[in-house]
Amino acid sequence: MTLDDLRVFVAVCRAGSLSAVARELACTQSAVSQHIKRLERETGVSLLERQPRGVVPTAAGRVLCDAAADGIAGLDLALRRLGDLVNGESGSVRITTGGTTVRHFMAEAIVSFRRRYPKVSLEFQTETSSRGCFDALHAGNLDLAWITIGGPVRGIEQRPVADLPWVLAMRSDDPLAARPRIDASDLMGIRLVRLPPNSTSGARLDAAFAELGIRVGSDTSVADWDTALLLAELGLGHAVVPAVPGLPTPGDGSPLRLIPVPALPPLSVGWAVRRWDALSPLARTFADTVTASCTKTLGTGEPETAPVPGDDR
């Protein structure tokens, strides 16, 4: 049994496909199968079950996959930290997040961090959902994820940084544009540019609408907040989005207007990691720099310091 055997096995369990892992590793499906067969010989049990559309781990396979994933992630993190010790201030920090997060939440912090650590490599990986960010963290090759804070996730610690109020975006010539605030009743029957329901922010918004008894229509959906704002500015509908840093303000010449919707509960955003106490010093410094920048920009008071623990059930 080798470390490569375990890495391949974990990858197959996550992908649910031998061929997909073979493509990712630029090898043959037969080579991937050999890794699995070697593990099955060593353990004496069947680890994968074939199904019409791929493979799934057996009960024994799930036990080995969970243990192997935790061990590989810990080992990769240790190797990264050793590299930082060897390289001093010329290591790397790897972050995963959505496509628009860097511009809205990290731009100032990145400049500040780069000035302080000019030799450190900052690597960003884009994911389309918090779930994708969690999977990337579990894979063990990333340090930090910027996410919409949600419920507990096994093996992940979440740390809120800011609570974002919701705003209704529309053109300045819209009948609602002169309102100081938007009430829940104002949203009834409105045509919205919708956030994807499989995203945490989209699901939170749908849940808030349901709780308030708000029914809205939609004939347009988007993958991110910035696109929703652009379509609202073009007059293709209204958009309910969180008030992220850098949004247009009245009087700045923008044809877009953003009116607060105080009836909707704020959206919490922040960091997710596998373990805060295992972060490298560079990764922790980058996270703290972004947190301080957001606190200053959004006026959120003192940064949150108590993590939301992972669900260890």
Side-chain angles (χ1 to χ4, degrees), residues 135-158:
D135 290 343
L137 285 175
H138 279 306
N141 57 346
L142 294 166
D143 300 301
L144 300 157
W146 182 269
I147 61 162
T148 300
I149 300 295
V153 177
R154 180 181 176 85
I156 297 292
E157 295 181 11
Q158 302 177 57

Side-chain angles (χ1 to χ4, degrees), residues 157-182:
E157 295 181 11
Q158 302 177 57
R159 179 168 293 182
V161 171
D163 289 331
L164 306 176
W166 293 90
V167 295
L168 181 66
M170 70 206 79
R171 288 184 57 85
S172 58
D173 55 3
D174 189 278
L176 294 174
R179 299 280 188 90
R181 54 181 281 169
I182 300 296

Side-chain angles (χ1 to χ4, degrees), residues 22 25 29 55 57 75 82 91 124 133 171 208 223 229 235 258 268 282 304:
L25 298 179
Q29 185 170 328
V55 295
L75 179 59
L82 287 174
F124 294 91
C133 291
R171 288 184 57 85
L229 289 169
L258 304 170
S268 183
L282 290 173
E304 176 66 53

Side-chain angles (χ1 to χ4, degrees), residues 174-242:
D174 189 278
L176 294 174
R179 299 280 188 90
R181 54 181 281 169
I182 300 296
D183 297 324
S185 58
D186 297 323
L187 298 174
M188 290 295 293
I190 205 169
R191 305 297 294 180
L192 283 184
V193 176
R194 298 298 296 270
L195 302 176
N198 63 335
S199 68
T200 304
S201 56
R204 289 289 182 84
L205 186 58
D206 287 345
F209 282 164
E211 185 173 343
L212 293 170
I214 299 172
R215 293 185 178 182
V216 297
S218 176
D219 48 22
T220 308
S221 62
V222 296
D224 60 77
W225 303 329
D226 281 1
T227 305
L229 289 169
L230 175 60
L231 295 183
E233 183 177 334
L234 294 175
L236 298 183
H238 298 77
V240 178
V241 298

Side-chain angles (χ1 to χ4, degrees), residues 3-218:
L3 185 57
D4 282 342
D5 292 337
L6 294 171
R7 287 186 187 276
V8 170
F9 174 64
V10 171
V12 168
C13 290
R14 287 177 173 153
S17 168
L18 297 174
S19 58
V21 173
R23 288 193 297 271
E24 181 181 342
L25 298 179
C27 66
T28 65
Q29 185 170 328
S30 175
V32 173
S33 295
Q34 289 303 313
H35 286 286
I36 307 302
K37 290 178 180 178
R38 184 156 48 235
L39 288 175
E40 290 181 330
R41 286 196 301 268
E42 290 285 339
T43 60
V45 294
S46 177
L47 298 174
L48 293 177
E49 177 183 345
R50 293 190 176 275
Q51 294 190 341
R53 295 191 176 184
V55 295
V56 296
T58 62
R62 287 193 295 272
V63 171
L64 181 61
C65 180
D66 288 345
D70 289 343
I72 291 170
L75 179 59
D76 287 342
L77 183 59
L79 292 174
R80 292 279 311 284
R81 295 192 69 177
L82 287 174
D84 288 343
L85 289 174
V86 171
N87 297 324
E89 296 182 353
S90 61
S92 64
V93 180
R94 300 177 183 180
I95 308 101
T96 180
T97 187
T100 63
T101 296
V102 172
R103 181 163 71 89
H104 286 299
F105 295 100
M106 299 185 185
E108 179 182 309
I110 288 172
V111 173
S112 176
F113 184 85
R114 173 64 69 210
R115 288 172 179 166
R116 185 176 177 185
Y117 301 101
K119 297 181 180 180
V120 173
S121 171
L122 289 175
E123 303 173 21
F124 294 91
Q125 176 177 312
T126 301
E127 295 290 344
T128 57
S129 66
S130 294
R131 180 73 273 170
C133 291
F134 295 146
D135 290 343
L137 285 175
H138 279 306
N141 57 346
L142 294 166
D143 300 301
L144 300 157
W146 182 269
I147 61 162
T148 300
I149 300 295
V153 177
R154 180 181 176 85
I156 297 292
E157 295 181 11
Q158 302 177 57
R159 179 168 293 182
V161 171
D163 289 331
L164 306 176
W166 293 90
V167 295
L168 181 66
M170 70 206 79
R171 288 184 57 85
S172 58
D173 55 3
D174 189 278
L176 294 174
R179 299 280 188 90
R181 54 181 281 169
I182 300 296
D183 297 324
S185 58
D186 297 323
L187 298 174
M188 290 295 293
I190 205 169
R191 305 297 294 180
L192 283 184
V193 176
R194 298 298 296 270
L195 302 176
N198 63 335
S199 68
T200 304
S201 56
R204 289 289 182 84
L205 186 58
D206 287 345
F209 282 164
E211 185 173 343
L212 293 170
I214 299 172
R215 293 185 178 182
V216 297
S218 176

